[in-house]
Amino acid sequence: ETGVTQSPTHLIKTRGQQVTLRCSSQSGHNTVSWYQQALGQGPQFIFQYYREEENGRGNFPPRFSGLQFPNYSSELNVNALELDDSALYLCASKGQGGTEAFFGQGTRLTVV
Amino acid sequence: AQSVTQLDSQVPVFEEAPVELRCNYSSSVSVYLFWYVQYPNQGLQLLLKYLSGSTLVKGINGFEAEFNKSQTSFHLRKPSVHISDTAEYFCAVSDLKGGSNYKLTFGKGTLLTVNP
C-alpha cells in the first residue's frame, strides 16, 4: 500500500478521442510524476509537477499535458489519442526532500 | 543523459536457488540507483535504493544489491528465491535536480520466473 491511488484502473478509448487520468497522492507529497509503460517495456518519464507547476518533461509531444492541484491530486490529459498511446500509465509521488517515489497501481489505457 | 541496461530479459530459476539480476547504467553525473518490482497488473514497489555510503544495500523480501562504481553496475541478488518472487524487476537511475531526485530512467525489465 503506497498511499497513491489512480483512477480508473482500465479504460478503452477510440483513436482521436481525448482522455483524462487521475491520481491522488499521499498528503504532503508535493511532487508528482507520470510515466508511460508500454507492453514489455520499462516505464518512460512523461513529466513531473512540483507545487502545481511542470518542472520537467520527457520526450512526449504537447498533446500530453497535466495538472496538479493543491489537494495533492493530479491529472494526465492526452488529446488526439493514437493507437501507440495504449499502455499502462503510472503516477508516482514524492515528498519534499524525499528520495523515494511511491507509485500507484496504474491505469491501463487501450486505444482502438 | 542517463541510460540503464538490464542484461537479461528473462531469468528462470528453481525455488530455493540463488539468483542475480544484472543491471548496468550510464551517467556523466552522480545518480541514485533503485530496484523496483512489479507484480502482474500492479504498479511498482521499491525493493531497495542506493544513495551513498556502503556499496552493499539490503532491501525488502531478502533482496540485496551491490553498487560498483568502476563497473557502473548495480546487480540485484537473493540467496534463496521463493515462488512468490516471480515478477518483473526494474532497475532505475535518477537524475539529481536541485538537490532532489528528479525523473527515473528505467531499464526494460527482467522477468524472474521461479519454478517449483
Side-chain angles (χ1 to χ4, degrees):
Chain A
E1 184 63 45
T2 64
V4 180
T5 57
Q6 293 186 241
S7 62
T9 54
H10 295 84
L11 198 55
I12 299 175
K13 288 287 190 178
T14 302
R15 188 172 47 184
Q17 285 188 315
Q18 178 267 344
V19 69
T20 297
L21 310 182
R22 294 180 171 82
C23 173
S24 177
S25 305
Q26 290 187 27
S27 179
H29 280 197
N30 50 20
T31 300
V32 65
S33 305
W34 286 89
Y35 292 81
Q36 180 195 68
Q37 185 180 13
L39 200 61
Q41 301 294 317
Q44 298 286 318
F45 175 75
I46 302 175
F47 46 57
Q48 176 172 286
Y49 277 77
Y50 174 68
R51 292 185 175 178
E52 302 165 45
E53 291 192 6
E54 183 181 305
N55 73 340
R57 171 176 281 265
N59 190 26
F60 281 81
R63 59 189 185 84
F64 285 78
S65 63
L67 287 171
Q68 185 186 26
F69 304 100
N71 65 351
Y72 305 110
S73 66
S74 58
E75 292 179 354
L76 165 65
N77 298 290
V78 187
N79 295 321
L81 284 167
E82 301 177 358
L83 297 179
D84 285 349
D85 295 333
S86 294
L88 181 68
Y89 288 85
L90 296 164
C91 161
S93 73
K94 188 174 72 67
Q96 180 78 30
T99 57
E100 176 182 347
F102 294 86
F103 284 82
Q105 82 283 7
T107 294
R108 173 75 62 187
L109 172 65
T110 303
V111 182
V112 298
Chain B
Q2 282 76 31
S3 67
V4 176
T5 302
Q6 292 185 241
L7 297 161
D8 306 293
S9 59
Q10 298 186 47
V11 174
V13 294
F14 288 108
E15 194 173 16
E16 299 184 4
V19 70
E20 178 180 81
L21 306 184
R22 298 179 293 167
C23 171
N24 286 94
Y25 70 95
S26 173
S27 175
S28 58
V29 298
S30 296
V31 295
Y32 294 154
L33 294 158
F34 305 83
W35 275 98
Y36 283 87
V37 61
Q38 186 176 39
Y39 298 101
N41 302 313
Q42 293 192 25
L44 300 175
Q45 179 184 7
L46 181 70
L47 279 176
L48 46 78
K49 59 185 177 184
Y50 173 79
L51 307 179
S52 64
S54 173
T55 57
L56 183 62
V57 179
K58 294 190 182 297
I60 63 171
N61 301 339
F63 284 94
E64 63 181 33
E66 185 154 19
F67 169 60
N68 188 317
K69 187 174 182 179
S70 62
Q71 297 186 7
T72 59
S73 67
F74 190 54
H75 300 334
L76 180 70
R77 302 185 183 101
K78 186 169 183 179
S80 176
V81 295
H82 303 287
I83 298 286
S84 59
D85 292 324
T86 295
E88 189 89 32
Y89 291 80
F90 292 97
C91 180
V93 300
S94 70
D95 278 314
L96 301 180
K97 181 175 182 180
S100 62
N101 64 340
Y102 178 40
K103 72 173 186 176
L104 289 166
T105 300
F106 287 87
K108 291 188 176 182
T110 297
L111 177 61
L112 173 64
T113 303
V114 181
N115 299 300

CSV table of all heavy atoms in Angstrom, one decimal, chain B residues 49-103:
chain,number,residue,atom,x,y,z
B,49,LYS,N,17.3,0.9,-2.5
B,49,LYS,CA,17.9,2.0,-3.2
B,49,LYS,C,19.3,2.3,-2.7
B,49,LYS,O,19.6,1.9,-1.5
B,49,LYS,CB,17.0,3.3,-2.9
B,49,LYS,CG,16.9,3.6,-1.4
B,49,LYS,CD,15.9,4.8,-1.2
B,49,LYS,CE,15.7,5.0,0.3
B,49,LYS,NZ,14.7,6.1,0.5
B,50,TYR,N,20.1,2.8,-3.6
B,50,TYR,CA,21.5,3.2,-3.2
B,50,TYR,C,21.5,4.7,-3.4
B,50,TYR,O,21.3,5.3,-4.5
B,50,TYR,CB,22.5,2.6,-4.1
B,50,TYR,CG,23.9,3.2,-3.8
B,50,TYR,CD1,24.6,2.8,-2.7
B,50,TYR,CD2,24.4,4.1,-4.7
B,50,TYR,CE1,25.9,3.3,-2.4
B,50,TYR,CE2,25.7,4.7,-4.4
B,50,TYR,CZ,26.4,4.3,-3.3
B,50,TYR,OH,27.6,4.9,-3.0
B,51,LEU,N,21.9,5.4,-2.3
B,51,LEU,CA,22.0,6.9,-2.4
B,51,LEU,C,23.5,7.3,-2.2
B,51,LEU,O,24.0,8.1,-3.0
B,51,LEU,CB,21.2,7.5,-1.3
B,51,LEU,CG,19.7,7.1,-1.2
B,51,LEU,CD1,19.0,7.8,-0.1
B,51,LEU,CD2,19.0,7.4,-2.5
B,52,SER,N,24.2,6.7,-1.2
B,52,SER,CA,25.6,7.0,-1.0
B,52,SER,C,26.0,6.0,0.1
B,52,SER,O,25.2,5.3,0.7
B,52,SER,CB,25.8,8.4,-0.6
B,52,SER,OG,25.2,8.7,0.7
B,53,GLY,N,27.3,6.0,0.4
B,53,GLY,CA,27.8,5.3,1.6
B,53,GLY,C,28.1,3.8,1.2
B,53,GLY,O,28.6,3.5,0.1
B,54,SER,N,27.7,2.9,2.0
B,54,SER,CA,28.1,1.5,1.8
B,54,SER,C,27.5,1.0,0.5
B,54,SER,O,26.4,1.3,0.1
B,54,SER,CB,27.4,0.6,2.9
B,54,SER,OG,27.6,-0.8,2.7
B,55,THR,N,28.4,0.3,-0.2
B,55,THR,CA,28.0,-0.2,-1.6
B,55,THR,C,27.1,-1.4,-1.5
B,55,THR,O,26.5,-1.7,-2.6
B,55,THR,CB,29.3,-0.5,-2.4
B,55,THR,OG1,30.0,-1.5,-1.7
B,55,THR,CG2,30.1,0.7,-2.6
B,56,LEU,N,27.0,-2.1,-0.4
B,56,LEU,CA,26.0,-3.2,-0.3
B,56,LEU,C,24.7,-2.7,0.3
B,56,LEU,O,24.8,-2.2,1.5
B,56,LEU,CB,26.6,-4.3,0.5
B,56,LEU,CG,25.8,-5.6,0.6
B,56,LEU,CD1,25.6,-6.2,-0.7
B,56,LEU,CD2,26.5,-6.6,1.6
B,57,VAL,N,23.7,-2.8,-0.4
B,57,VAL,CA,22.4,-2.3,0.1
B,57,VAL,C,21.4,-3.5,0.3
B,57,VAL,O,21.3,-4.3,-0.6
B,57,VAL,CB,21.8,-1.3,-1.0
B,57,VAL,CG1,20.5,-0.8,-0.5
B,57,VAL,CG2,22.8,-0.2,-1.2
B,58,LYS,N,20.8,-3.5,1.4
B,58,LYS,CA,19.8,-4.5,1.7
B,58,LYS,C,18.4,-3.9,1.6
B,58,LYS,O,18.1,-2.8,2.0
B,58,LYS,CB,20.0,-5.1,3.1
B,58,LYS,CG,21.4,-5.8,3.2
B,58,LYS,CD,21.5,-6.6,4.5
B,58,LYS,CE,22.8,-7.3,4.6
B,58,LYS,NZ,23.0,-8.3,3.6
B,59,GLY,N,17.5,-4.8,1.0
B,59,GLY,CA,16.1,-4.3,0.8
B,59,GLY,C,15.1,-5.2,1.4
B,59,GLY,O,15.4,-6.0,2.3
B,60,ILE,N,13.9,-5.1,0.9
B,60,ILE,CA,12.8,-5.9,1.4
B,60,ILE,C,12.9,-7.3,0.8
B,60,ILE,O,13.5,-7.6,-0.2
B,60,ILE,CB,11.5,-5.3,1.2
B,60,ILE,CG1,11.2,-5.1,-0.3
B,60,ILE,CG2,11.4,-3.9,1.9
B,60,ILE,CD1,9.8,-4.7,-0.6
B,61,ASN,N,12.2,-8.3,1.5
B,61,ASN,CA,12.0,-9.6,1.0
B,61,ASN,C,13.3,-10.4,0.7
B,61,ASN,O,13.4,-11.3,-0.1
B,61,ASN,CB,11.2,-9.6,-0.4
B,61,ASN,CG,9.8,-9.0,-0.2
B,61,ASN,OD1,9.3,-8.9,0.9
B,61,ASN,ND2,9.3,-8.5,-1.3
B,62,GLY,N,14.4,-10.0,1.5
B,62,GLY,CA,15.6,-10.7,1.4
B,62,GLY,C,16.5,-10.4,0.2
B,62,GLY,O,17.6,-11.0,0.0
B,63,PHE,N,16.1,-9.4,-0.5
B,63,PHE,CA,17.0,-8.9,-1.6
B,63,PHE,C,18.1,-8.0,-1.2
B,63,PHE,O,17.9,-7.2,-0.2
B,63,PHE,CB,16.1,-8.2,-2.7
B,63,PHE,CG,15.3,-9.1,-3.5
B,63,PHE,CD1,14.0,-9.4,-3.2
B,63,PHE,CD2,15.8,-9.7,-4.7
B,63,PHE,CE1,13.2,-10.3,-3.9
B,63,PHE,CE2,15.1,-10.6,-5.4
B,63,PHE,CZ,13.8,-10.9,-5.1
B,64,GLU,N,19.2,-8.0,-1.9
B,64,GLU,CA,20.3,-7.1,-1.7
B,64,GLU,C,20.9,-6.7,-3.1
B,64,GLU,O,20.7,-7.4,-4.0
B,64,GLU,CB,21.3,-7.6,-0.8
B,64,GLU,CG,22.0,-8.9,-1.3
B,64,GLU,CD,23.1,-9.4,-0.3
B,64,GLU,OE1,22.9,-9.3,0.9
B,64,GLU,OE2,24.1,-9.9,-0.8
B,65,ALA,N,21.6,-5.6,-3.1
B,65,ALA,CA,22.3,-5.2,-4.3
B,65,ALA,C,23.6,-4.5,-4.0
B,65,ALA,O,23.8,-4.0,-2.9
B,65,ALA,CB,21.4,-4.2,-5.1
B,66,GLU,N,24.5,-4.6,-4.9
B,66,GLU,CA,25.8,-4.1,-4.7
B,66,GLU,C,26.1,-3.1,-5.8
B,66,GLU,O,26.1,-3.3,-7.0
B,66,GLU,CB,26.9,-5.2,-4.7
B,66,GLU,CG,28.3,-4.6,-4.4
B,66,GLU,CD,29.2,-5.6,-3.8
B,66,GLU,OE1,28.9,-6.8,-3.9
B,66,GLU,OE2,30.2,-5.3,-3.1
B,67,PHE,N,26.5,-1.9,-5.4
B,67,PHE,CA,26.9,-0.8,-6.3
B,67,PHE,C,28.4,-0.9,-6.6
B,67,PHE,O,29.2,-1.0,-5.7
B,67,PHE,CB,26.6,0.6,-5.6
B,67,PHE,CG,27.1,1.8,-6.3
B,67,PHE,CD1,26.8,2.0,-7.6
B,67,PHE,CD2,28.0,2.6,-5.7
B,67,PHE,CE1,27.3,3.1,-8.3
B,67,PHE,CE2,28.6,3.7,-6.4
B,67,PHE,CZ,28.2,4.0,-7.7
B,68,ASN,N,28.7,-0.9,-7.9
B,68,ASN,CA,30.1,-1.0,-8.3
B,68,ASN,C,30.3,0.2,-9.2
B,68,ASN,O,29.9,0.2,-10.4
B,68,ASN,CB,30.4,-2.3,-9.0
B,68,ASN,CG,31.9,-2.5,-9.3
B,68,ASN,OD1,32.5,-1.5,-9.7
B,68,ASN,ND2,32.4,-3.6,-9.0
B,69,LYS,N,31.0,1.2,-8.7
B,69,LYS,CA,31.2,2.5,-9.5
B,69,LYS,C,32.1,2.3,-10.7
B,69,LYS,O,31.8,2.8,-11.8
B,69,LYS,CB,31.7,3.6,-8.6
B,69,LYS,CG,31.7,4.9,-9.2
B,69,LYS,CD,32.2,6.0,-8.3
B,69,LYS,CE,32.1,7.4,-8.9
B,69,LYS,NZ,32.5,8.5,-8.0
B,70,SER,N,33.1,1.5,-10.5
B,70,SER,CA,34.1,1.3,-11.6
B,70,SER,C,33.5,0.5,-12.8
B,70,SER,O,33.8,0.8,-13.9
B,70,SER,CB,35.3,0.6,-11.1
B,70,SER,OG,35.0,-0.7,-10.6
B,71,GLN,N,32.6,-0.4,-12.4
B,71,GLN,CA,31.9,-1.2,-13.5
B,71,GLN,C,30.5,-0.6,-13.8
B,71,GLN,O,29.8,-1.2,-14.7
B,71,GLN,CB,31.8,-2.6,-13.1
B,71,GLN,CG,33.1,-3.3,-12.9
B,71,GLN,CD,33.0,-4.8,-12.6
B,71,GLN,OE1,31.9,-5.4,-12.7
B,71,GLN,NE2,34.1,-5.4,-12.3
B,72,THR,N,30.1,0.5,-13.2
B,72,THR,CA,28.8,1.1,-13.4
B,72,THR,C,27.7,0.1,-13.3
B,72,THR,O,26.9,0.0,-14.3
B,72,THR,CB,28.7,2.0,-14.6
B,72,THR,OG1,29.0,1.2,-15.8
B,72,THR,CG2,29.7,3.1,-14.6
B,73,SER,N,27.7,-0.8,-12.3
B,73,SER,CA,26.8,-1.8,-12.2
B,73,SER,C,26.0,-1.7,-10.8
B,73,SER,O,26.5,-1.2,-9.9
B,73,SER,CB,27.4,-3.2,-12.3
B,73,SER,OG,28.3,-3.5,-11.2
B,74,PHE,N,24.9,-2.3,-10.8
B,74,PHE,CA,24.0,-2.4,-9.6
B,74,PHE,C,23.2,-3.7,-9.7
B,74,PHE,O,22.0,-3.6,-9.9
B,74,PHE,CB,23.2,-1.1,-9.5
B,74,PHE,CG,22.4,-0.9,-8.2
B,74,PHE,CD1,23.1,-0.9,-7.0
B,74,PHE,CD2,21.1,-0.7,-8.2
B,74,PHE,CE1,22.5,-0.7,-5.8
B,74,PHE,CE2,20.4,-0.5,-7.0
B,74,PHE,CZ,21.1,-0.5,-5.8
B,75,HIS,N,23.9,-4.8,-9.5
B,75,HIS,CA,23.2,-6.1,-9.6
B,75,HIS,C,22.4,-6.4,-8.4
B,75,HIS,O,22.8,-6.2,-7.2
B,75,HIS,CB,24.3,-7.2,-9.9
B,75,HIS,CG,25.1,-6.9,-11.1
B,75,HIS,ND1,24.6,-6.2,-12.2
B,75,HIS,CD2,26.4,-7.4,-11.4
B,75,HIS,CE1,25.6,-6.2,-13.1
B,75,HIS,NE2,26.6,-6.9,-12.7
B,76,LEU,N,21.3,-7.1,-8.6
B,76,LEU,CA,20.4,-7.5,-7.6
B,76,LEU,C,20.5,-9.0,-7.3
B,76,LEU,O,20.6,-9.8,-8.2
B,76,LEU,CB,18.9,-7.2,-8.0
B,76,LEU,CG,17.8,-7.5,-7.0
B,76,LEU,CD1,17.8,-6.6,-5.8
B,76,LEU,CD2,16.4,-7.5,-7.7
B,77,ARG,N,20.6,-9.3,-6.0
B,77,ARG,CA,20.8,-10.7,-5.6
B,77,ARG,C,19.8,-11.2,-4.5
B,77,ARG,O,19.3,-10.4,-3.7
B,77,ARG,CB,22.2,-11.0,-5.1
B,77,ARG,CG,23.3,-10.6,-6.1
B,77,ARG,CD,24.7,-10.9,-5.6
B,77,ARG,NE,25.7,-10.5,-6.5
B,77,ARG,CZ,26.5,-9.4,-6.3
B,77,ARG,NH1,26.3,-8.6,-5.3
B,77,ARG,NH2,27.4,-9.1,-7.2
B,78,LYS,N,19.5,-12.5,-4.6
B,78,LYS,CA,18.8,-13.1,-3.4
B,78,LYS,C,19.4,-14.5,-3.3
B,78,LYS,O,19.5,-15.2,-4.3
B,78,LYS,CB,17.3,-13.1,-3.7
B,78,LYS,CG,16.5,-13.6,-2.5
B,78,LYS,CD,15.0,-13.4,-2.7
B,78,LYS,CE,14.3,-13.9,-1.4
B,78,LYS,NZ,12.8,-13.7,-1.5
B,79,PRO,N,19.7,-14.9,-2.1
B,79,PRO,CA,20.4,-16.2,-1.9
B,79,PRO,C,19.5,-17.4,-2.1
B,79,PRO,O,19.9,-18.5,-2.4
B,79,PRO,CB,20.9,-16.1,-0.4
B,79,PRO,CG,20.1,-15.1,0.2
B,79,PRO,CD,19.7,-14.1,-0.8
B,80,SER,N,18.2,-17.2,-1.9
B,80,SER,CA,17.2,-18.3,-2.0
B,80,SER,C,15.9,-17.8,-2.4
B,80,SER,O,15.2,-17.1,-1.6
B,80,SER,CB,17.2,-19.1,-0.6
B,80,SER,OG,16.2,-20.1,-0.7
B,81,VAL,N,15.4,-18.1,-3.6
B,81,VAL,CA,14.1,-17.5,-4.0
B,81,VAL,C,12.9,-18.4,-3.7
B,81,VAL,O,13.1,-19.6,-3.5
B,81,VAL,CB,14.2,-17.2,-5.5
B,81,VAL,CG1,15.2,-16.1,-5.9
B,81,VAL,CG2,14.4,-18.5,-6.3
B,82,HIS,N,11.8,-17.7,-3.7
B,82,HIS,CA,10.5,-18.4,-3.5
B,82,HIS,C,9.6,-18.2,-4.7
B,82,HIS,O,9.8,-17.3,-5.5
B,82,HIS,CB,9.8,-17.8,-2.2
B,82,HIS,CG,10.7,-17.9,-1.0
B,82,HIS,ND1,10.9,-19.0,-0.3
B,82,HIS,CD2,11.4,-16.9,-0.3
B,82,HIS,CE1,11.7,-18.8,0.7
B,82,HIS,NE2,12.0,-17.5,0.8
B,83,ILE,N,8.6,-19.1,-4.8
B,83,ILE,CA,7.6,-19.0,-5.8
B,83,ILE,C,7.1,-17.5,-5.9
B,83,ILE,O,6.9,-17.0,-7.0
B,83,ILE,CB,6.5,-20.0,-5.7
B,83,ILE,CG1,7.0,-21.4,-5.7
B,83,ILE,CG2,5.4,-19.8,-6.7
B,83,ILE,CD1,7.4,-21.9,-7.0
B,84,SER,N,6.8,-16.9,-4.8
B,84,SER,CA,6.2,-15.6,-4.7
B,84,SER,C,7.1,-14.5,-5.2
B,84,SER,O,6.6,-13.4,-5.4
B,84,SER,CB,5.8,-15.3,-3.2
B,84,SER,OG,7.0,-15.3,-2.4
B,85,ASP,N,8.4,-14.8,-5.5
B,85,ASP,CA,9.3,-13.8,-6.1
B,85,ASP,C,9.1,-13.6,-7.6
B,85,ASP,O,9.7,-12.8,-8.2
B,85,ASP,CB,10.7,-14.1,-5.8
B,85,ASP,CG,11.1,-14.0,-4.3
B,85,ASP,OD1,10.6,-13.1,-3.7
B,85,ASP,OD2,11.9,-14.9,-3.8
B,86,THR,N,8.3,-14.5,-8.2
B,86,THR,CA,8.0,-14.4,-9.6
B,86,THR,C,7.4,-13.1,-9.9
B,86,THR,O,6.3,-12.7,-9.4
B,86,THR,CB,7.1,-15.5,-10.1
B,86,THR,OG1,7.8,-16.8,-9.9
B,86,THR,CG2,6.7,-15.4,-11.5
B,87,ALA,N,8.0,-12.3,-10.7
B,87,ALA,CA,7.6,-10.9,-11.0
B,87,ALA,C,8.6,-10.3,-12.0
B,87,ALA,O,9.6,-10.9,-12.4
B,87,ALA,CB,7.6,-10.1,-9.8
B,88,GLU,N,8.2,-9.1,-12.5
B,88,GLU,CA,9.1,-8.3,-13.3
B,88,GLU,C,9.9,-7.3,-12.4
B,88,GLU,O,9.4,-6.7,-11.5
B,88,GLU,CB,8.3,-7.4,-14.3
B,88,GLU,CG,9.1,-6.8,-15.4
B,88,GLU,CD,9.3,-7.6,-16.6
B,88,GLU,OE1,8.4,-8.4,-16.9
B,88,GLU,OE2,10.4,-7.5,-17.3
B,89,TYR,N,11.2,-7.3,-12.7
B,89,TYR,CA,12.1,-6.4,-11.8
B,89,TYR,C,12.7,-5.4,-12.7
B,89,TYR,O,13.2,-5.6,-13.8
B,89,TYR,CB,13.2,-7.3,-11.2
B,89,TYR,CG,12.6,-8.2,-10.1
B,89,TYR,CD1,12.0,-9.4,-10.5
B,89,TYR,CD2,12.7,-7.9,-8.8
B,89,TYR,CE1,11.5,-10.2,-9.5
B,89,TYR,CE2,12.2,-8.7,-7.8
B,89,TYR,CZ,11.6,-9.9,-8.2
B,89,TYR,OH,11.0,-10.7,-7.2
B,90,PHE,N,12.7,-4.1,-12.2
B,90,PHE,CA,13.2,-3.0,-13.0
B,90,PHE,C,14.3,-2.3,-12.2
B,90,PHE,O,14.2,-2.0,-11.0
B,90,PHE,CB,12.1,-2.0,-13.3
B,90,PHE,CG,11.1,-2.5,-14.2
B,90,PHE,CD1,9.9,-3.0,-13.7
B,90,PHE,CD2,11.3,-2.4,-15.6
B,90,PHE,CE1,8.9,-3.5,-14.6
B,90,PHE,CE2,10.3,-2.8,-16.5
B,90,PHE,CZ,9.1,-3.4,-16.0
B,91,CYS,N,15.4,-2.0,-12.9
B,91,CYS,CA,16.5,-1.2,-12.4
B,91,CYS,C,16.3,0.2,-12.9
B,91,CYS,O,15.8,0.4,-14.0
B,91,CYS,CB,17.8,-1.8,-12.9
B,91,CYS,SG,19.3,-0.9,-12.3
B,92,ALA,N,16.6,1.2,-12.0
B,92,ALA,CA,16.3,2.6,-12.4
B,92,ALA,C,17.4,3.5,-11.8
B,92,ALA,O,18.0,3.2,-10.8
B,92,ALA,CB,15.0,3.0,-12.0
B,93,VAL,N,17.7,4.6,-12.5
B,93,VAL,CA,18.6,5.6,-12.0
B,93,VAL,C,17.8,6.9,-12.0
B,93,VAL,O,16.8,7.1,-12.8
B,93,VAL,CB,19.8,5.8,-12.9
B,93,VAL,CG1,20.6,4.5,-12.9
B,93,VAL,CG2,19.5,6.3,-14.3
B,94,SER,N,18.2,7.8,-11.1
B,94,SER,CA,17.5,9.1,-11.1
B,94,SER,C,18.5,10.3,-11.3
B,94,SER,O,19.6,10.2,-10.8
B,94,SER,CB,16.8,9.3,-9.8
B,94,SER,OG,17.7,9.5,-8.7
B,95,ASP,N,18.0,11.2,-12.1
B,95,ASP,CA,18.7,12.5,-12.3
B,95,ASP,C,18.6,13.2,-10.9
B,95,ASP,O,17.7,12.9,-10.1
B,95,ASP,CB,17.9,13.4,-13.2
B,95,ASP,CG,18.3,13.1,-14.7
B,95,ASP,OD1,19.5,13.0,-14.9
B,95,ASP,OD2,17.4,13.0,-15.5
B,96,LEU,N,19.6,14.0,-10.6
B,96,LEU,CA,19.5,14.9,-9.5
B,96,LEU,C,19.2,16.3,-10.0
B,96,LEU,O,20.0,16.8,-10.7
B,96,LEU,CB,20.8,14.8,-8.7
B,96,LEU,CG,21.2,13.5,-8.2
B,96,LEU,CD1,22.6,13.6,-7.4
B,96,LEU,CD2,20.2,12.9,-7.3
B,97,LYS,N,18.1,16.9,-9.5
B,97,LYS,CA,17.8,18.2,-10.0
B,97,LYS,C,17.5,19.1,-8.8
B,97,LYS,O,16.6,18.8,-8.0
B,97,LYS,CB,16.6,18.2,-10.9
B,97,LYS,CG,16.2,19.6,-11.4
B,97,LYS,CD,15.1,19.5,-12.4
B,97,LYS,CE,14.7,20.9,-13.0
B,97,LYS,NZ,13.6,20.8,-13.9
B,98,GLY,N,18.3,20.1,-8.6
B,98,GLY,CA,18.0,21.0,-7.5
B,98,GLY,C,18.2,20.3,-6.2
B,98,GLY,O,17.6,20.6,-5.2
B,99,GLY,N,19.1,19.2,-6.2
B,99,GLY,CA,19.4,18.5,-4.9
B,99,GLY,C,18.4,17.4,-4.6
B,99,GLY,O,18.6,16.7,-3.6
B,100,SER,N,17.3,17.3,-5.3
B,100,SER,CA,16.4,16.2,-5.0
B,100,SER,C,16.2,15.3,-6.3
B,100,SER,O,16.4,15.8,-7.4
B,100,SER,CB,15.0,16.7,-4.6
B,100,SER,OG,14.5,17.5,-5.6
B,101,ASN,N,16.0,14.0,-6.1
B,101,ASN,CA,15.9,13.2,-7.3
B,101,ASN,C,14.8,13.6,-8.2
B,101,ASN,O,13.7,14.0,-7.7
B,101,ASN,CB,15.9,11.7,-6.9
B,101,ASN,CG,14.7,11.3,-6.1
B,101,ASN,OD1,14.0,12.2,-5.5
B,101,ASN,ND2,14.4,10.1,-6.1
B,102,TYR,N,15.0,13.5,-9.4
B,102,TYR,CA,14.1,14.0,-10.4
B,102,TYR,C,13.5,12.9,-11.2
B,102,TYR,O,12.9,12.0,-10.6
B,102,TYR,CB,15.0,14.9,-11.3
B,102,TYR,CG,14.4,15.6,-12.5
B,102,TYR,CD1,13.1,16.1,-12.4
B,102,TYR,CD2,15.1,15.8,-13.7
B,102,TYR,CE1,12.5,16.7,-13.5
B,102,TYR,CE2,14.5,16.4,-14.8
B,102,TYR,CZ,13.3,16.9,-14.7
B,102,TYR,OH,12.7,17.5,-15.8
B,103,LYS,N,13.7,12.8,-12.5
B,103,LYS,CA,13.0,11.7,-13.2
B,103,LYS,C,13.8,10.4,-13.0
B,103,LYS,O,15.0,10.4,-12.8
B,103,LYS,CB,12.9,12.0,-14.7
B,103,LYS,CG,14.2,12.0,-15.4
B,103,LYS,CD,14.0,12.1,-16.9
B,103,LYS,CE,15.3,11.9,-17.7
B,103,LYS,NZ,15.1,12.0,-19.1
